[in-house]
Amino acid sequence: MEPLRGTKDILPEEIRYWQKIYEIVTKILTQNNYHEIRTPIIENTELFLRSIGSFTDIINKEMYTFHDQSSRSITLRPEGTASITRSFISNKLYLGNKIQRLWYLGPMFRYERPQKGRQRQFHQLGIECIGSPMPIAEIEVIRIALKILEQLNVEKWSLEINSIGNTEERLKYTNDLKSYLNKYRNDLDENSQKRLEDNALRILDSKNKKTQEILNNGPKIKKYLETSSLQHFEIVCNYLNQLNIKYNINDKLIRGLDYYNYTAFEIQTLNQNQQNTICGGGRYDNLIKQLGGPNTPSVGWAIGLERLILNMEQKSLIHKNKKIIYIAHSEISQADMIWEIINLMDIYQLTFELDISNNNLNKQLRKANQLGAKLCFIISNNEITHQYVTVKWLDTSTQQQVPLYQLNNYLKYIKFSLKT
Ligand code: ATP
Ligand code: MG
């Protein structure tokens, strides 16, 4: 039996990175007063159709959509923002605080060709700063993304940023871009030729050299932006300058989702990976209204966690826990003493493993060594008769007999010496 193509088990060895990420991001986001939210993995298909946009890759070919037993069309969420928006509206979160700072972490599903850093079930961490039209909101979310990368030891990145204007500006630009590119139709790569009709903006994303050359001489979005779009972008850039955050204005950066306006940004790693975008985000002022909520300008981003982990300086982040105390015994029928010891382990919060193998004591000790345990507590007939525990320090092989009534103090001492 194999896992489905494009899906992966996260085994105990690797889960430690995920737990560490969860721990670090919870700390950073809580400090910035962002609140975690968990929405269902399945939603009505309509939610994504109405938000992500008809001519995007996600809607056209990547969704996991099926009919349930009552013939409802259901989709496994391909991204987080649509669901958060739905939740914001259906729970009337807007009745409370006018500004909502939310974050989520969970699996997303897209039917794509699996590659390194590209899966069919993958995970996103995302934040949404809901309710502010101010450029400072962009800076807040970008700053948090960079903080997270910094604390997870992702060092080589570049922040790409662009203004994609409002709907009208983008429409005018798209029309001009289309008529320009039409003149070179036959020189464009195959994929771009297909996109020319229904999603011409995405051609800017093409990795094809020839297509890129043609685009270089074509119309640029900046020319189509009017005062308010330009001003918004200028303020964003000024703040970034003030904060000394390096960025690159990338006039070909167009995100793959329809709901963005004004600011779009990506954080790319400088590693020579194919999948080098680890974070994508932008402003979405109209989405909430478009889905039936009140007019609520917002901005957010999502980080792909598999790609993040590929770029983490992993070794420096996590130390293997070698401070296990192994409990070996030969008389499980007289378990009273074992439970007394385990109670004390709980009190002093020591990590332990009780042998449950039915092997003889020698084999149990070998197991303790294999595990890399620091200490082994040994309990056999003699120990039970005379009410003591044999404690063996495995790295020095020194052995002590600790009377039960002194065990409390001894564990206090162990706790202290394992810390140092
Ligand atoms: P790409 O152009 O690489 O397909 P995208 O524009 O579709 O990315 P977004 O929808 O912006 O990606 O999602 C935000 C982030 O989620 C991406 O930057 C990436 O890190 C991650 N991501 C998206 N799709 C996948 C996937 N299939 N597998 C793993 N990570 C993904
Ligand atoms: Mg994609």
Side-chain angles (χ1 to χ4, degrees), residues 223-261:
K223 281 227 175 96
Y224 295 77
L225 303 184
E226 291 174 22
T227 322
S228 66
S229 291
L230 285 172
Q231 268 175 359
H232 190 98
F233 193 53
E234 201 182 310
I235 299 173
V236 169
C237 293
N238 283 342
Y239 280 136
L240 289 173
N241 293 335
Q242 278 172 23
L243 282 169
N244 262 328
I245 295 174
K246 275 181 271 159
Y247 59 92
N248 179 30
I249 296 179
N250 180 342
D251 60 15
K252 293 201 182 109
L253 179 77
I254 298 290
R255 315 273 3 277
L257 305 132
D258 271 5
Y259 49 65
Y260 287 119
N261 66 293

Short mmCIF file of all heavy atoms in Angstrom, two decimals, residues 223-261:
data_model
loop_
_atom_site.label_atom_id
_atom_site.label_comp_id
_atom_site.label_asym_id
_atom_site.label_seq_id
_atom_site.Cartn_x
_atom_site.Cartn_y
_atom_site.Cartn_z
N LYS A 223 2.24 52.22 -15.61
CA LYS A 223 1.67 53.30 -16.42
C LYS A 223 0.16 53.41 -16.29
O LYS A 223 -0.43 54.43 -16.62
CB LYS A 223 2.00 53.05 -17.90
CG LYS A 223 3.41 53.41 -18.30
CD LYS A 223 3.37 54.23 -19.61
CE LYS A 223 4.74 54.72 -19.98
NZ LYS A 223 5.40 53.81 -20.94
N TYR A 224 -0.48 52.33 -15.88
CA TYR A 224 -1.93 52.30 -15.83
C TYR A 224 -2.48 52.68 -14.45
O TYR A 224 -3.67 52.81 -14.25
CB TYR A 224 -2.45 50.90 -16.22
CG TYR A 224 -2.12 50.60 -17.66
CD1 TYR A 224 -0.83 50.24 -18.04
CD2 TYR A 224 -3.09 50.73 -18.66
CE1 TYR A 224 -0.50 49.99 -19.35
CE2 TYR A 224 -2.77 50.48 -19.98
CZ TYR A 224 -1.48 50.11 -20.32
OH TYR A 224 -1.17 49.88 -21.62
N LEU A 225 -1.58 52.83 -13.48
CA LEU A 225 -2.03 53.12 -12.13
C LEU A 225 -2.34 54.61 -11.98
O LEU A 225 -1.60 55.45 -12.47
CB LEU A 225 -0.96 52.72 -11.11
CG LEU A 225 -0.51 51.25 -11.14
CD1 LEU A 225 0.49 50.97 -10.02
CD2 LEU A 225 -1.70 50.31 -11.04
N GLU A 226 -3.44 54.89 -11.29
CA GLU A 226 -3.79 56.29 -11.07
C GLU A 226 -3.37 56.71 -9.66
O GLU A 226 -2.79 55.92 -8.92
CB GLU A 226 -5.28 56.48 -11.34
CG GLU A 226 -5.51 56.31 -12.85
CD GLU A 226 -6.96 56.33 -13.25
OE1 GLU A 226 -7.77 56.87 -12.47
OE2 GLU A 226 -7.25 55.81 -14.34
N THR A 227 -3.69 57.97 -9.34
CA THR A 227 -3.10 58.57 -8.13
C THR A 227 -3.21 57.72 -6.86
O THR A 227 -2.22 57.49 -6.19
CB THR A 227 -3.75 59.94 -7.85
OG1 THR A 227 -3.94 60.56 -9.11
CG2 THR A 227 -2.89 60.80 -6.97
N SER A 228 -4.43 57.21 -6.57
CA SER A 228 -4.56 56.56 -5.26
C SER A 228 -3.75 55.26 -5.21
O SER A 228 -3.14 54.93 -4.20
CB SER A 228 -6.02 56.32 -4.90
OG SER A 228 -6.58 55.40 -5.79
N SER A 229 -3.72 54.52 -6.30
CA SER A 229 -2.91 53.29 -6.34
C SER A 229 -1.43 53.62 -6.18
O SER A 229 -0.71 52.97 -5.42
CB SER A 229 -3.08 52.57 -7.68
OG SER A 229 -4.36 52.05 -7.78
N LEU A 230 -1.00 54.66 -6.92
CA LEU A 230 0.42 55.04 -6.86
C LEU A 230 0.82 55.49 -5.47
O LEU A 230 1.86 55.11 -4.95
CB LEU A 230 0.71 56.15 -7.87
CG LEU A 230 0.77 55.69 -9.33
CD1 LEU A 230 0.85 56.89 -10.26
CD2 LEU A 230 1.95 54.73 -9.56
N GLN A 231 -0.08 56.29 -4.87
CA GLN A 231 0.24 56.81 -3.53
C GLN A 231 0.33 55.69 -2.52
O GLN A 231 1.26 55.63 -1.71
CB GLN A 231 -0.84 57.79 -3.08
CG GLN A 231 -0.49 59.21 -3.44
CD GLN A 231 -1.63 60.16 -3.08
OE1 GLN A 231 -2.68 59.75 -2.59
NE2 GLN A 231 -1.43 61.43 -3.36
N HIS A 232 -0.62 54.76 -2.60
CA HIS A 232 -0.62 53.64 -1.66
C HIS A 232 0.71 52.88 -1.75
O HIS A 232 1.35 52.58 -0.75
CB HIS A 232 -1.80 52.70 -1.99
CG HIS A 232 -2.03 51.64 -0.96
ND1 HIS A 232 -2.98 51.75 0.03
CD2 HIS A 232 -1.42 50.45 -0.75
CE1 HIS A 232 -2.96 50.68 0.80
NE2 HIS A 232 -2.01 49.86 0.34
N PHE A 233 1.10 52.61 -2.98
CA PHE A 233 2.33 51.84 -3.18
C PHE A 233 3.56 52.61 -2.69
O PHE A 233 4.48 52.04 -2.09
CB PHE A 233 2.47 51.49 -4.67
CG PHE A 233 3.54 50.45 -4.92
CD1 PHE A 233 3.52 49.25 -4.24
CD2 PHE A 233 4.55 50.68 -5.85
CE1 PHE A 233 4.50 48.28 -4.47
CE2 PHE A 233 5.53 49.72 -6.08
CZ PHE A 233 5.50 48.53 -5.39
N GLU A 234 3.53 53.91 -2.93
CA GLU A 234 4.67 54.72 -2.51
C GLU A 234 4.83 54.70 -0.99
O GLU A 234 5.94 54.57 -0.46
CB GLU A 234 4.46 56.17 -2.97
CG GLU A 234 5.75 56.96 -3.03
CD GLU A 234 5.47 58.39 -3.46
OE1 GLU A 234 4.77 58.57 -4.49
OE2 GLU A 234 5.93 59.32 -2.76
N ILE A 235 3.69 54.75 -0.29
CA ILE A 235 3.76 54.72 1.17
C ILE A 235 4.30 53.37 1.65
O ILE A 235 5.15 53.30 2.54
CB ILE A 235 2.37 55.01 1.80
CG1 ILE A 235 1.91 56.41 1.38
CG2 ILE A 235 2.43 54.93 3.33
CD1 ILE A 235 0.49 56.75 1.80
N VAL A 236 3.82 52.30 1.02
CA VAL A 236 4.32 50.97 1.39
C VAL A 236 5.85 50.93 1.24
O VAL A 236 6.57 50.51 2.15
CB VAL A 236 3.66 49.87 0.52
CG1 VAL A 236 4.37 48.53 0.70
CG2 VAL A 236 2.18 49.71 0.88
N CYS A 237 6.32 51.42 0.09
CA CYS A 237 7.77 51.38 -0.16
C CYS A 237 8.53 52.26 0.84
O CYS A 237 9.60 51.87 1.32
CB CYS A 237 8.08 51.82 -1.59
SG CYS A 237 7.47 50.66 -2.80
N ASN A 238 7.96 53.42 1.16
CA ASN A 238 8.62 54.30 2.13
C ASN A 238 8.77 53.64 3.50
O ASN A 238 9.81 53.74 4.13
CB ASN A 238 7.85 55.61 2.29
CG ASN A 238 8.10 56.53 1.11
OD1 ASN A 238 9.08 56.32 0.38
ND2 ASN A 238 7.23 57.50 0.90
N TYR A 239 7.70 53.00 3.93
CA TYR A 239 7.77 52.29 5.22
C TYR A 239 8.86 51.23 5.18
O TYR A 239 9.62 51.05 6.13
CB TYR A 239 6.45 51.62 5.55
CG TYR A 239 5.39 52.53 6.12
CD1 TYR A 239 4.07 52.44 5.67
CD2 TYR A 239 5.67 53.43 7.15
CE1 TYR A 239 3.06 53.24 6.19
CE2 TYR A 239 4.67 54.23 7.68
CZ TYR A 239 3.37 54.14 7.19
OH TYR A 239 2.39 54.92 7.72
N LEU A 240 8.90 50.47 4.07
CA LEU A 240 9.91 49.41 3.97
C LEU A 240 11.31 50.03 4.07
O LEU A 240 12.19 49.48 4.75
CB LEU A 240 9.76 48.63 2.66
CG LEU A 240 8.53 47.71 2.57
CD1 LEU A 240 8.40 47.13 1.18
CD2 LEU A 240 8.60 46.60 3.61
N ASN A 241 11.48 51.17 3.41
CA ASN A 241 12.78 51.86 3.51
C ASN A 241 13.10 52.23 4.94
O ASN A 241 14.20 52.01 5.43
CB ASN A 241 12.78 53.13 2.65
CG ASN A 241 12.70 52.80 1.17
OD1 ASN A 241 13.11 51.70 0.77
ND2 ASN A 241 12.17 53.72 0.37
N GLN A 242 12.08 52.81 5.60
CA GLN A 242 12.30 53.23 6.99
C GLN A 242 12.71 52.06 7.88
O GLN A 242 13.51 52.20 8.79
CB GLN A 242 11.02 53.82 7.58
CG GLN A 242 10.79 55.27 7.21
CD GLN A 242 9.41 55.72 7.67
OE1 GLN A 242 8.82 55.14 8.58
NE2 GLN A 242 8.90 56.75 7.03
N LEU A 243 12.13 50.90 7.60
CA LEU A 243 12.42 49.73 8.42
C LEU A 243 13.68 49.00 7.96
O LEU A 243 14.02 47.94 8.49
CB LEU A 243 11.24 48.75 8.38
CG LEU A 243 10.06 49.13 9.25
CD1 LEU A 243 8.85 48.25 8.93
CD2 LEU A 243 10.42 48.97 10.72
N ASN A 244 14.30 49.56 6.91
CA ASN A 244 15.50 48.91 6.38
C ASN A 244 15.24 47.51 5.85
O ASN A 244 16.10 46.64 5.94
CB ASN A 244 16.57 48.81 7.46
CG ASN A 244 17.55 49.95 7.30
OD1 ASN A 244 17.79 50.39 6.16
ND2 ASN A 244 18.07 50.42 8.42
N ILE A 245 14.03 47.29 5.36
CA ILE A 245 13.72 45.98 4.76
C ILE A 245 14.02 46.07 3.26
O ILE A 245 13.45 46.91 2.56
CB ILE A 245 12.24 45.61 4.99
CG1 ILE A 245 11.97 45.43 6.48
CG2 ILE A 245 11.86 44.35 4.21
CD1 ILE A 245 10.51 45.21 6.84
N LYS A 246 14.92 45.24 2.81
CA LYS A 246 15.28 45.27 1.40
C LYS A 246 14.16 44.67 0.55
O LYS A 246 13.56 43.68 0.95
CB LYS A 246 16.56 44.46 1.15
CG LYS A 246 17.82 45.28 1.41
CD LYS A 246 19.04 44.43 1.14
CE LYS A 246 19.42 43.70 2.41
NZ LYS A 246 20.21 42.54 2.34
N TYR A 247 13.89 45.28 -0.60
CA TYR A 247 12.85 44.72 -1.46
C TYR A 247 13.19 45.00 -2.90
O TYR A 247 14.05 45.84 -3.21
CB TYR A 247 11.48 45.31 -1.10
CG TYR A 247 11.42 46.82 -1.24
CD1 TYR A 247 11.00 47.43 -2.43
CD2 TYR A 247 11.82 47.65 -0.19
CE1 TYR A 247 10.97 48.81 -2.56
CE2 TYR A 247 11.79 49.02 -0.31
CZ TYR A 247 11.37 49.60 -1.50
OH TYR A 247 11.35 50.96 -1.63
N ASN A 248 12.50 44.30 -3.76
CA ASN A 248 12.74 44.46 -5.17
C ASN A 248 11.39 44.71 -5.84
O ASN A 248 10.47 43.90 -5.71
CB ASN A 248 13.38 43.14 -5.68
CG ASN A 248 13.65 43.20 -7.15
OD1 ASN A 248 13.90 44.27 -7.69
ND2 ASN A 248 13.57 42.05 -7.79
N ILE A 249 11.25 45.88 -6.49
CA ILE A 249 9.98 46.13 -7.18
C ILE A 249 9.97 45.30 -8.46
O ILE A 249 10.84 45.45 -9.31
CB ILE A 249 9.81 47.63 -7.49
CG1 ILE A 249 9.74 48.38 -6.15
CG2 ILE A 249 8.56 47.87 -8.31
CD1 ILE A 249 9.58 49.88 -6.29
N ASN A 250 9.00 44.40 -8.53
CA ASN A 250 8.98 43.43 -9.62
C ASN A 250 7.69 43.64 -10.41
O ASN A 250 6.61 43.22 -10.00
CB ASN A 250 9.03 42.04 -8.99
CG ASN A 250 9.00 40.94 -10.02
OD1 ASN A 250 8.62 41.15 -11.17
ND2 ASN A 250 9.38 39.74 -9.60
N ASP A 251 7.82 44.33 -11.58
CA ASP A 251 6.59 44.70 -12.29
C ASP A 251 5.96 43.52 -13.02
O ASP A 251 4.93 43.66 -13.67
CB ASP A 251 6.82 45.90 -13.21
CG ASP A 251 7.87 45.61 -14.26
OD1 ASP A 251 8.23 44.43 -14.45
OD2 ASP A 251 8.36 46.58 -14.89
N LYS A 252 6.57 42.34 -12.88
CA LYS A 252 5.93 41.16 -13.49
C LYS A 252 5.26 40.28 -12.44
O LYS A 252 4.77 39.21 -12.75
CB LYS A 252 6.99 40.35 -14.23
CG LYS A 252 7.53 41.10 -15.44
CD LYS A 252 8.15 40.13 -16.42
CE LYS A 252 8.74 40.87 -17.59
NZ LYS A 252 10.21 40.84 -17.55
N LEU A 253 5.30 40.74 -11.20
CA LEU A 253 4.70 39.92 -10.14
C LEU A 253 3.18 40.07 -10.14
O LEU A 253 2.64 41.13 -9.86
CB LEU A 253 5.25 40.34 -8.76
CG LEU A 253 4.68 39.55 -7.60
CD1 LEU A 253 5.32 38.19 -7.51
CD2 LEU A 253 4.88 40.29 -6.30
N ILE A 254 2.52 38.98 -10.52
CA ILE A 254 1.06 38.94 -10.54
C ILE A 254 0.70 37.68 -9.79
O ILE A 254 1.18 36.62 -10.09
CB ILE A 254 0.55 38.79 -12.00
CG1 ILE A 254 0.97 40.00 -12.83
CG2 ILE A 254 -0.93 38.55 -12.05
CD1 ILE A 254 0.27 41.28 -12.49
N ARG A 255 -0.11 37.76 -8.76
CA ARG A 255 -0.42 36.55 -8.02
C ARG A 255 -1.48 35.72 -8.75
O ARG A 255 -2.21 36.23 -9.57
CB ARG A 255 -0.88 36.87 -6.60
CG ARG A 255 -0.06 37.90 -5.87
CD ARG A 255 1.15 37.40 -5.11
NE ARG A 255 1.44 35.99 -5.19
CZ ARG A 255 0.87 35.04 -4.45
NH1 ARG A 255 -0.03 35.33 -3.56
NH2 ARG A 255 1.21 33.80 -4.59
N GLY A 256 -1.53 34.45 -8.40
CA GLY A 256 -2.41 33.54 -9.13
C GLY A 256 -3.86 33.55 -8.68
O GLY A 256 -4.64 32.70 -9.07
N LEU A 257 -4.22 34.52 -7.84
CA LEU A 257 -5.59 34.56 -7.36
C LEU A 257 -6.19 35.89 -7.76
O LEU A 257 -5.52 36.92 -7.73
CB LEU A 257 -5.60 34.42 -5.83
CG LEU A 257 -4.88 33.17 -5.30
CD1 LEU A 257 -3.93 33.50 -4.18
CD2 LEU A 257 -5.88 32.13 -4.86
N ASP A 258 -7.48 35.87 -8.11
CA ASP A 258 -8.09 37.07 -8.67
C ASP A 258 -8.39 38.16 -7.65
O ASP A 258 -8.59 39.31 -8.00
CB ASP A 258 -9.41 36.71 -9.36
CG ASP A 258 -9.17 36.36 -10.82
OD1 ASP A 258 -7.99 36.32 -11.21
OD2 ASP A 258 -10.17 36.14 -11.54
N TYR A 259 -8.45 37.79 -6.36
CA TYR A 259 -9.02 38.77 -5.42
C TYR A 259 -8.06 39.87 -4.96
O TYR A 259 -8.43 40.75 -4.22
CB TYR A 259 -9.65 38.08 -4.21
CG TYR A 259 -8.82 37.02 -3.51
CD1 TYR A 259 -7.65 37.34 -2.86
CD2 TYR A 259 -9.25 35.69 -3.51
CE1 TYR A 259 -6.91 36.37 -2.19
CE2 TYR A 259 -8.52 34.70 -2.84
CZ TYR A 259 -7.35 35.05 -2.19
OH TYR A 259 -6.63 34.09 -1.55
N TYR A 260 -6.81 39.84 -5.39
CA TYR A 260 -5.87 40.84 -4.90
C TYR A 260 -6.04 42.20 -5.60
O TYR A 260 -6.44 42.29 -6.74
CB TYR A 260 -4.43 40.37 -5.10
CG TYR A 260 -4.02 39.28 -4.14
CD1 TYR A 260 -3.63 38.02 -4.61
CD2 TYR A 260 -4.02 39.50 -2.77
CE1 TYR A 260 -3.25 37.01 -3.73
CE2 TYR A 260 -3.65 38.50 -1.88
CZ TYR A 260 -3.27 37.27 -2.37
OH TYR A 260 -2.89 36.29 -1.50
N ASN A 261 -5.71 43.26 -4.89
CA ASN A 261 -5.61 44.60 -5.50
C ASN A 261 -4.47 45.36 -4.83
O ASN A 261 -3.96 44.92 -3.78
CB ASN A 261 -6.94 45.37 -5.34
CG ASN A 261 -7.24 45.70 -3.89
OD1 ASN A 261 -7.49 44.81 -3.09
ND2 ASN A 261 -7.18 46.98 -3.54
#
